[in-house]
Structure formats: structure tokens, C-alpha cells
Amino acid sequence: MEKLVESLGITRLSRSQVSEMTRDLDEQVEAFRTRPLDAGPYTFVAADALVLKVREGGRVVNVHALLAAGVNGDGHREILGLQVTSAEDGAGWLGFFRDLTARGLTGVQLVTSDAHRGLVEAIGAALPGAAWQRCRTHYAANLMAATPKASWPWVKTLLHSVYDQPDAASVHAQYDRLVDAIAEKLPQVAAHLDDARPDVLAFTSFPKELWRQIWSNNPQERLNREIRRRTDVVGIFPGRDSLIRLVGAVLAEQHDEWTEGRRYLGLDVLARSRITPAPSTTEVTPGNDLPALSA
């Protein structure tokens, strides 16, 4: 607080002034985190988690900041929620999504995330009818870990060629060619690709104009980098309240920029996206098996 007000020409703050300013900021962040989500339908949602350090019980522990952003009915992006949990497990994610739906999250047709099992199962339990898009960037990293190092360059090239196709039918045909091309030499990699197909290619059930916005968590990663830039200055937070105060303020600031900026998606493509997805998009249910590799 003192560093902030120094930029305004104020050289000293009393403890009571710092406390009052902190209390005011906490109230603003809490109002932002608990506001009604009344600008739906939120057709597309992206979810992710950041690991941060706090002091609890006299020791430093890792906590997980669960984040979600979405595209509202007007085509603008919104920060939907922030919660801090001790572990990134199914219970934490389920509570997070249930809070979002209680606040008004509706109309979700696709959630993009990594393949964390608890996260994916929470999507199925809290957002029935929503499909899941496995982030293509995270999946490429998973596939690289399962592929012999010498073979990865050509496997990577073939995988990227899948996303360069002009339409959904061509994407699926090229994916078939990828699996066939490596089936004999790398049968385990081919099997993993085949298992992941419905989750990696879920984006093809939506208009091509927005594939780049929904087939990965890259837009969310840019937000994560901004949060990291601010939190790295702190290093270890003295408690969860201070973590929520800083991260919540960063998210509220980003939310306002998105609201005042240009539409993220056009209204015409959003309207076409709300048509019932094609059969190739699989709905996530809590019991669905996930591919063997972790996120």
C-alpha cells in the first residue's frame, strides 16, 4: 500500500490507514467474486489452476487458485470465478463449479481445460450437457512424454497438420491418417491418440471461425502469466486472504478491460454455436474414463 500511494505523492501511511484501505479492497474483491453471473448464456468456458505459496500453521504450503473465464451472451469475455483450495482435487473443482452455477452460470456448451481427472469429472457433474475440449497444447506435451525422443519431431508435425485442415471432416480424416501412420512403429502412441480423439477434437462441432479460441487454454495462459507477474513480487503470501486480495484485484482489473474492449466473439458465430452440437462432440459424465496420461 505504501508503495502504491508513494506514486501519488504520499510518503507515509499509518497502520490504521493501511488497514482501512485493505478492508475496502477486500470488500471490492469479495463483491466481484460473488457477483451474479447474469450476462449469459456463457457458451464457452475455460478453467485452469495456479499453484501459489502461503504461510499456514507456521509453515509454507502450496495452495491452488482455481480460475474460470467465459464468453457471455454479448460476446465479451468475463472472469467468472476465483477460489483457493488446499488441493486441486475433484471436491475442490466440484465446489467451484457449483458456486458458479448457483451464481447464474448457464448455457455452457464447451469447457476447455487440461485433463486433470478431478476437473473433468466436476465438469460432468456440475455442467450436464456441456462438452469437454482437452487443451491441444497440454495434450501435445502429454503426447511428447509418451513418444520416443527420436520420433517426436515427425509425430509433432503430423499432429499439427490435423489442426491446419479447412473443415471438420478434413480434421477427422487427417487424424485418422496420423493414427494409421504411426500404428505399426509406435502402437502405444497410436492407441493414446485414438483414446483421446473425442476430447482433443471436440472443437470441430462448432463453427470454424472460433476454433482458435476454443481448442486450447492459450488465452487463459496469457491471463495466468499476468497473475504470475504480480504474485512473483510477493513470493510467499502471509495468508489466503492476502492471496485472494491480490489475485482478485488483478482479475477484476482484467475483467473491466474485457468488458470495455471489443467483443471476443461475434454475435453471429455465437448464435450458431448455441445450436445443438454435432454427435462427434462427447458429453462429459463423471464416470467417463480419461486417457492414461495425466495433465
Side-chain angles (χ1 to χ4, degrees), residues 237-277:
F237 286 87
R240 298 193 187 199
D241 289 345
S242 61
L243 187 158
I244 291 173
R245 182 183 307 127
L246 177 58
V247 176
V250 172
L251 293 177
E253 178 183 345
Q254 181 61 76
H255 176 85
D256 290 343
E257 290 183 11
W258 285 345
T259 300
E260 296 171 2
R262 296 177 58 185
R263 284 190 177 94
Y264 186 67
L265 296 178
L267 296 181
D268 58 337
V269 73
L270 269 180
R272 285 185 282 128
S273 300
R274 293 178 193 131
I275 300 173
T276 303

Side-chain angles (χ1 to χ4, degrees), residues 7 15 18-19 52 88 119 121 127 168 189 230 240 243 252 256 262 285:
S7 66
R15 287 181 178 272
V18 172
S19 178
L52 300 167
E88 188 190 358
L119 168 54
E121 291 184 349
L127 300 172
V189 178
R230 308 283 190 95
R240 298 193 187 199
L243 187 158
D256 290 343
R262 296 177 58 185
T285 57

Side-chain angles (χ1 to χ4, degrees), residues 52-55 59-61 231-239 242:
L52 300 167
K53 295 183 180 297
V54 301
R55 295 187 185 277
R59 58 195 181 96
V60 176
V61 299
T231 57
D232 284 350
V233 177
V234 179
I236 301 171
F237 286 87
S242 61

Side-chain angles (χ1 to χ4, degrees), residues 43-47 69-71 77 109-114 131-137 163 199-220 222 264-265 269-270 273 277 281:
T43 310
F44 301 106
V45 171
V71 180
R77 294 180 74 191
Q109 297 220 6
L110 186 73
V111 181
T112 303
S113 75
D114 62 27
W132 172 52
Q133 169 65 45
R134 184 172 185 172
C135 172
R136 58 169 279 190
T137 304
Y163 303 108
D199 309 322
V200 175
L201 301 186
F203 68 88
T204 60
S205 291
F206 297 90
K208 187 179 188 301
E209 298 95 308
L210 48 74
W211 283 1
R212 292 185 179 276
Q213 283 85 359
I214 65 174
W215 64 19
S216 78
N217 256 11
N218 287 350
Q220 189 83 357
R222 287 191 286 272
Y264 186 67
L265 296 178
V269 73
L270 269 180
S273 300
T281 297

